[in-house]
Amino acid sequence: MIDRKSIAGKYPEITQHAQLLVIGAGPVGLASAIEGARAGLQVTLVDENPTSGALMGLDVPLFYGQRMSGAVQNKDRMVEQMLIASPALEEAFELGVEVLLGTYVWGAFVNGPGVQSLPGRVVGLADEEKSWLCRFDALVLATGARDLVLSFAGIEQPGVMGANAFQALVERYNEFTGKRLVILGSGDPAVATATLALDHGLEVAALVEVRDTPQAPVDALVARGVEILTGQVILEAKTNVEGVSGAVLVDLADGTQRVIDCDTICLAIGLVPNIELADVLGCRIVPSGALGGHVPVLDASGQAVDGVFPVGDCAGLTHAGAAEGRAAAQAAARWIAGEPAIETVSVAPQGDAYAYRLDWMQALVKTGSSSVLACLCEEVTREELVGVKPPRYLGCTSNKIARRNAGTLLKDGPLNHDQFKRLTRVTMGPCQGRRCREQVALMLAIESETPVAAVPLAGYRAPVRPLPLSVLAADDETNAMAAGWDVWFGIKGQWTPYADIGTEREAQHDEDDDGDSLHL
Amino acid sequence: MTSKSGASVVIVGGGVSGLSAGWWLARSGYDVLVLDKGIVGWEASGRNGGGATHYQSPLFHEEQRLWPQMDELLGYPTEYQRQRIIVNLTEQQQKRYAKMGAITRAMGYESSELDGKQLRELVPYVGDTALGAIYFQFGGHANPQRTVQAYSWALQDHGGRVLQHAAVTGFKTAGGRVTEVLTTKGDFGLDHLVVAAGPQSGVLLRQLGVELPLTAARAEMIVTEPLPLMKHGGVDGNGLYGRQTLRGNLAYGGGPHEWLEENDGTTIARPSTPLLRNLAKRLAELFPKAAHARVIRSWSGIIENTPDGRPVIDRLNQPDNVVVCTMSGVGFGLSPATGHAIHDLVVDRKCSFADISKLSITRFKDLPADWRETMGWLPPIAEAAHG
């Protein structure tokens, strides 16, 4: 007996199939796809770039800060730019890799705890018109990293952006519209950003560092005329009609302020591994200050779950490159062939990104206003976040709610990011928490005086890209799905009015329902 | 005989039913302790459509009476919004929902039928082909996540306690009564025990020699980015339940569920699946004028069901100081009334405001052992990773 209202047997057969599916056509993913093809695998390489201009405007997947030209609306042109920027794509084509550019990966699904119904091991793909599923044998995740966003007054203004977004606009698309930058941070990402900007003929006014010393060698930048401002933090972005017109800095020792003219403020404090797909796959995810944030746990062969190989920045910020990408493809090939895995020796990563980020967050909180936004989409201020205040549109100002805050929640147990999402709506907007997730966790750590790593990850959910209903809508629904669709469980008699239970009227309800529920 | 760390009433399960019961008991002056293995309202109680229109239940009148007062009674916002619309896209649906109108009208609740034009006034995202709708002047919806926290805070305001991250490991009994509940955070003496632990209730009660037949399943919902508010947010139809939130998001669920293996009492994974595409399809059909809205999340909840899909709200004979509650997948909206009923069973052994005798656990005493197989309430058989 099968419950015809259950999921059993309702998915269509998935005809698209890749022996090796590689997600992300950056240097690591490309190397992996090429290596897979050389090893004789049937390879599909998927990259969401060029993403639609609309998504870029939402700061998805990177924090573009509206500093891209109007040309990003032209997808064909952006594809051309990508091919110019990445010659290895040509090599992949020639080796017979199926390359899907401008294709979003909105989910990845394998059977595991809590789900046994999937129509195979699949990723969810979409372009601007439709969505579909593609089966894979092995999956290499090379989804890279995104920008760490810590906010200050004016964070929402055009011209405040992230280092990875800057790199993408300059290198991948050649569509960056700013001229003069102030860069926040002085570690590797900041130095790389400044160097890239200078090499492209842009001005870099200064690097701003909260700590007392630069966090990476900066002599070459100094020689090129870049000011290195240590012991300082940004207070706010000065703005005009075009967005950012300057950065107001404050000295952490004596409180003196200065303004530096610029049209772009680039956050280069750190990067965050892109773990959305690993998380929705059900991989075990752990926090790691050394690896730059939450990362999937890998076994000695580099697998997170059966046949799934995260590699590069999405597995932790270890400067992994093409060699690691190739190794992931080889490991995937062995897994597909059913050969024993080769254990790789990994060096324990060093450093603690959390300590550095915490220094920044503390400096920003100490100097900045409590009305600075902690969440841009939902416009939740820092004060509202730690006060656990209901969103303003509810107009709720009871005395009881006034007495509740992070401190009272803390009495019930450790602070949980997801609980703050529910109550304040922080991290709940269309950017899917990309711009506030880390800083909310930092603020909860500060508020509860617990290590950053102890704040539970706010879980990721599919679709991990914000795609329209009309695009996601299944156009391949089976008759079984349509015929067995019910509002609720479709349990016979569940909606029979209580008074009629056990009376002769009961049978009439069953007949009227015809097996479909009338649930509200 | 409450021990030092115990409470007069210990409630196992900080879901919406247990929290409501705790709130009712605390405001009546009882010393209440709610235990949860995780965070309050973390499971199905905080992961549902928020509907509050359950005409089939003996608790219906109390549900309808209480919801409009809940913000004030609790002192915290629930986002309760009155009234409900069900869209008719087909004539069959029109007939079906007209029947629902007749049933509720006979119970004293007003409803009217809207034609397409009237419907589009209130619900502008429906398409030009929508035939109309039934408009209930009663019922409504609330925000489950805000409501569970409201219960938790309100019961604490009345002197009750909530202990999170305390998983129950066993019970002590003496003289036909439960005397203590053992947890990962210590043992607690009690005069009365309430078990309202959702899918875990079956496993817990078995330790007391009580068989509560339950099977858990996963169901899924999707949510879009915020859209301009419609005049009326509580709109069901096209095989979906849900609402437009006061923020403007469309939050909708429906469709097939996946039955799960019987659980050992630990947290069950709640993955989402590609079913979100089928939900997106139906939502775009229900609201063609909102088909451009981006889906920004999906989520799933684990829901327990009894064999007849109806609740068990009962005080046991043996042990005789135990009240059992499972709402069989329809718990959120009824929760204000459910808590009242549980309160009454603890205090008086009898529900004061409704006859709930047909929700007794004894109706399952002759249930065959293979009832899950007979009904097909079994997990699908997955294919292996290596195809």
Side-chain angles (χ1 to χ4, degrees):
Chain A
M1 171 77 186
I2 285 181
D3 168 14
R4 74 180 185 92
K5 300 296 174 76
S6 78
I7 189 67
K10 288 200 171 39
Y11 282 113
E13 194 187 335
I14 310 303
T15 50
Q16 280 221 25
H17 173 257
Q19 206 174 16
L20 174 63
L21 189 69
V22 180
I23 300 173
V28 175
L30 256 170
S32 197
I34 289 169
E35 183 72 10
R38 287 195 174 130
L41 298 178
Q42 178 235 330
V43 182
T44 299
L45 173 64
V46 186
D47 196 291
E48 64 190 320
N49 295 295
T51 49
S52 73
L55 274 193
M56 291 173 80
L58 267 184
D59 291 324
V60 176
L62 300 173
F63 189 35
Y64 292 107
Q66 317 299 329
R67 274 295 179 258
M68 59 282 191
S69 75
V72 299
Q73 303 291 344
N74 183 339
K75 240 182 153 168
D76 290 341
R77 178 176 162 162
M78 292 302 100
V79 169
E80 278 174 38
Q81 293 283 6
M82 280 183 69
L83 294 174
I84 294 166
S86 187
L89 278 170
E90 193 66 34
E91 191 184 348
F93 281 122
E94 281 167 13
L95 284 164
V97 174
E98 182 187 24
V99 181
L100 303 176
L101 299 180
T103 303
Y104 305 103
V105 186
W106 49 265
F109 308 94
V110 295
N111 285 320
V115 57
Q116 297 294 314
S117 61
L118 296 170
R121 299 149 55 79
V122 295
V123 293
L125 303 177
D127 55 23
E128 306 298 341
E129 264 90 51
K130 62 183 185 309
S131 71
W132 66 98
L133 301 177
C134 178
R135 296 170 67 114
F136 60 87
D137 293 343
L139 180 66
V140 169
L141 296 175
T143 50
R146 61 182 163 80
D147 300 303
L148 173 73
V149 181
L150 305 181
S151 61
F152 45 87
I155 183 77
E156 72 286 2
Q157 291 290 328
V160 182
M161 68 182 308
N164 256 15
F166 174 77
Q167 186 191 3
L169 291 185
V170 169
E171 285 196 319
R172 186 189 295 140
Y173 297 134
N174 193 24
E175 299 294 351
F176 176 66
T177 58
K179 301 254 183 306
R180 183 175 157 88
L181 289 77
V182 165
I183 295 170
L184 305 183
S186 70
D188 291 338
V191 171
T193 302
T195 306
L196 179 67
L198 293 169
D199 290 350
H200 280 77
L202 302 166
E203 285 182 67
V204 178
L207 262 56
V208 179
E209 172 55 52
V210 291
R211 287 184 172 173
D212 291 332
T213 54
Q215 302 298 297
V218 292
D219 292 350
L221 294 178
V222 173
R224 297 173 81 174
V226 177
E227 257 196 288
I228 311 294
L229 303 170
T230 57
Q232 307 210 23
V233 71
I234 186 160
L235 187 64
E236 63 176 314
K238 274 190 63 165
T239 57
N240 60 25
V241 289
E242 284 162 8
V244 172
S245 65
V248 182
L249 308 180
V250 56
D251 188 293
L252 290 165
D254 61 18
T256 55
Q257 294 184 15
R258 64 179 285 189
V259 181
I260 302 181
D261 290 340
C262 62
D263 57 39
T264 300
I265 298 169
C266 188
L267 285 146
I269 298 161
L271 299 175
V272 182
N274 276 329
I275 59 162
E276 303 103 308
L277 290 172
D279 197 24
V280 301
L281 266 165
C283 302
R284 193 158 80 86
I285 306 285
V286 294
S288 168
L291 292 173
H294 281 87
V295 287
V297 176
L298 308 183
D299 70 11
S301 71
Q303 280 183 108
V305 292
D306 270 355
V308 175
F309 300 83
V311 63
D313 282 352
C314 73
L317 308 177
T318 57
H319 305 288
E324 286 79 4
R326 286 192 291 272
Q330 289 158 9
R334 278 191 295 277
W335 188 83
I336 290 167
E339 293 166 11
I342 295 175
E343 299 202 356
T344 52
V345 182
S346 59
V347 182
Q350 302 292 313
D352 183 6
Y354 290 147
Y356 182 55
R357 292 173 192 180
L358 204 52
D359 286 350
W360 268 95
M361 196 72 232
Q362 275 164 332
L364 288 163
V365 169
K366 190 177 129 202
T367 57
S369 158
S370 61
S371 64
V372 167
L373 295 181
C375 170
L376 279 71
C377 293
E378 298 293 312
E379 299 184 351
V380 180
T381 66
R382 286 179 190 156
E383 182 176 34
E384 289 164 336
L385 172 70
V386 299
V388 200
K389 291 297 163 273
R392 270 165 269 154
Y393 58 81
L394 291 183
C396 175
T397 53
S398 76
N399 288 333
K400 285 183 173 176
I401 203 83
R403 289 196 294 270
R404 294 292 173 180
N405 53 45
T408 60
L409 273 186
L410 193 54
K411 286 182 192 153
D412 294 344
L415 296 187
N416 188 301
H417 189 154
D418 278 324
Q419 207 167 10
F420 283 78
K421 285 168 67 175
R422 294 172 159 213
L423 297 173
T424 69
R425 296 203 60 79
V426 77
T427 330
M428 294 283 262
C431 90
Q432 302 180 310
R434 282 178 184 79
R435 300 181 296 189
C436 67
R437 191 180 278 274
E438 287 72 32
Q439 73 171 331
V440 169
L442 287 167
M443 290 196 61
L444 296 187
I446 293 170
E447 201 60 28
S448 58
E449 298 177 354
T450 51
V452 180
V455 178
L457 174 73
Y460 291 90
R461 307 299 300 188
V464 300
R465 294 293 179 270
L467 299 173
L469 287 167
S470 56
V471 168
L472 285 172
D475 58 5
D476 54 357
E477 195 168 279
T478 59
N479 291 335
M481 181 75 83
W485 189 280
D486 202 303
V487 184
W488 198 227
F489 279 73
I491 299 170
K492 185 181 159 191
Q494 183 162 35
W495 311 109
T496 302
Y498 182 78
D500 293 352
I501 296 172
T503 70
E504 71 278 10
R505 291 186 299 276
E506 194 166 12
Q508 187 59 47
H509 289 293
D510 289 346
E511 204 171 299
D512 290 353
D513 289 358
D514 191 26
D516 282 327
S517 75
L518 298 170
H519 183 64
L520 285 169
Chain B
M1 61 168 273
T2 302
S3 74
K4 196 174 145 200
S5 63
S8 174
V9 185
V10 172
I11 298 171
V12 179
V16 77
S17 300
L19 289 168
S20 175
W23 171 66
W24 275 96
L25 286 157
R27 65 200 282 266
S28 302
Y30 285 84
D31 174 24
V32 174
L33 171 64
V34 177
L35 302 172
D36 197 278
K37 68 179 175 19
I39 296 174
V40 291
W42 215 241
E43 300 293 344
S45 299
R47 301 166 189 276
N48 58 74
T53 321
H54 298 101
Y55 68 90
Q56 83 285 356
S57 172
L59 307 177
F60 177 52
H61 298 299
E62 186 70 350
E63 175 192 50
Q64 298 308 309
R65 183 182 78 83
L66 286 168
W67 266 115
Q69 315 172 47
M70 288 307 282
D71 278 26
E72 200 173 329
L73 291 174
L74 294 169
Y76 300 94
T78 65
E79 298 187 32
Y80 174 71
Q81 299 288 298
R82 203 174 168 83
Q83 301 174 344
R84 201 81 181 155
I85 286 176
I86 313 180
V87 175
N88 303 321
L89 295 182
T90 66
E91 281 176 17
Q92 191 203 15
Q93 288 167 359
Q94 202 162 23
K95 208 174 124 198
R96 225 172 247 296
Y97 298 132
K99 179 192 165 184
M100 207 189 286
I103 290 173
T104 47
R105 208 166 297 123
M107 297 166 84
Y109 294 90
E110 284 307 308
S111 59
S112 53
E113 294 195 23
L114 304 178
D115 63 24
K117 186 163 173 289
Q118 292 168 318
L119 171 63
R120 282 182 278 280
E121 286 272 303
L122 292 172
V123 185
Y125 299 139
V126 297
D128 300 332
T129 56
L131 300 180
I134 187 154
Y135 188 7
F136 295 119
Q137 309 296 327
F138 56 93
H141 58 93
N143 178 332
Q145 306 185 329
R146 216 169 280 298
T147 303
V148 288
Q149 192 65 54
Y151 280 127
S152 177
W153 279 340
L155 84 85
Q156 292 178 41
D157 290 339
H158 285 292
R161 286 171 291 156
V162 175
L163 187 63
Q164 300 186 145
H165 309 288
V168 171
T169 55
F171 301 96
K172 275 190 188 163
T173 56
R177 295 170 66 85
V178 179
T179 56
E180 229 173 285
V181 56
L182 318 177
T183 84
T184 51
K185 281 203 170 170
D187 305 337
F188 301 94
L190 54 87
D191 298 325
H192 295 275
L193 175 70
V194 175
V195 178
Q200 281 79 26
S201 293
V203 178
L204 290 170
L205 286 165
R206 201 167 294 150
Q207 299 184 42
L208 295 171
V210 177
E211 201 52 44
L212 175 64
L214 293 174
T215 303
R218 194 191 67 257
E220 303 186 34
M221 296 187 72
I222 60 172
V223 61
T224 70
E225 64 187 331
L227 297 171
L229 291 179
M230 301 189 287
K231 275 193 187 149
H232 187 94
V235 185
D236 296 318
N238 200 31
L240 300 175
Y241 61 90
R243 71 195 205 281
Q244 181 176 38
T245 68
L246 294 181
R247 173 72 174 102
N249 314 76
L250 303 174
Y252 279 83
H257 46 274
E258 178 170 344
W259 294 109
L260 304 172
E261 293 289 351
E262 196 178 14
N263 170 251
D264 60 2
T266 55
T267 300
I268 308 168
R270 298 175 295 254
S272 299
T273 72
L275 188 68
L276 71 88
R277 293 177 71 230
N278 307 86
L279 286 163
K281 174 180 187 281
R282 274 174 179 68
L283 190 51
E285 288 166 354
L286 177 63
F287 294 139
K289 307 260 163 76
H292 61 283
R294 295 184 179 94
V295 181
I296 58 174
R297 272 187 297 284
S298 65
W299 73 91
S300 62
I302 308 298
I303 299 135
E304 83 277 13
N305 273 294
T306 63
D308 58 12
R310 296 170 189 156
V312 170
I313 307 173
D314 200 3
R315 179 156 170 170
L316 302 180
N317 292 321
Q318 182 67 28
D320 92 331
N321 61 338
V322 178
V323 173
V324 175
C325 174
T326 168
M327 295 305 288
S328 193
V330 190
F332 174 75
L334 289 165
S335 65
T338 310
H340 191 183
I342 294 172
H343 162 279
D344 290 356
L345 292 181
V346 169
V347 174
D348 293 329
R349 293 177 178 270
K350 190 174 186 316
C351 180
S352 64
F353 59 89
D355 163 37
I356 58 170
S357 57
K358 296 177 202 171
L359 304 184
S360 162
I361 193 171
T362 55
R363 70 183 189 270
F364 298 121
K365 66 181 189 308
D366 298 324
L367 190 73
D370 63 350
W371 67 277
R372 289 186 183 86
E373 288 78 5
T374 308
M375 298 179 74
W377 290 13
L378 300 171
I381 296 159
E383 58 177 82
H386 282 280

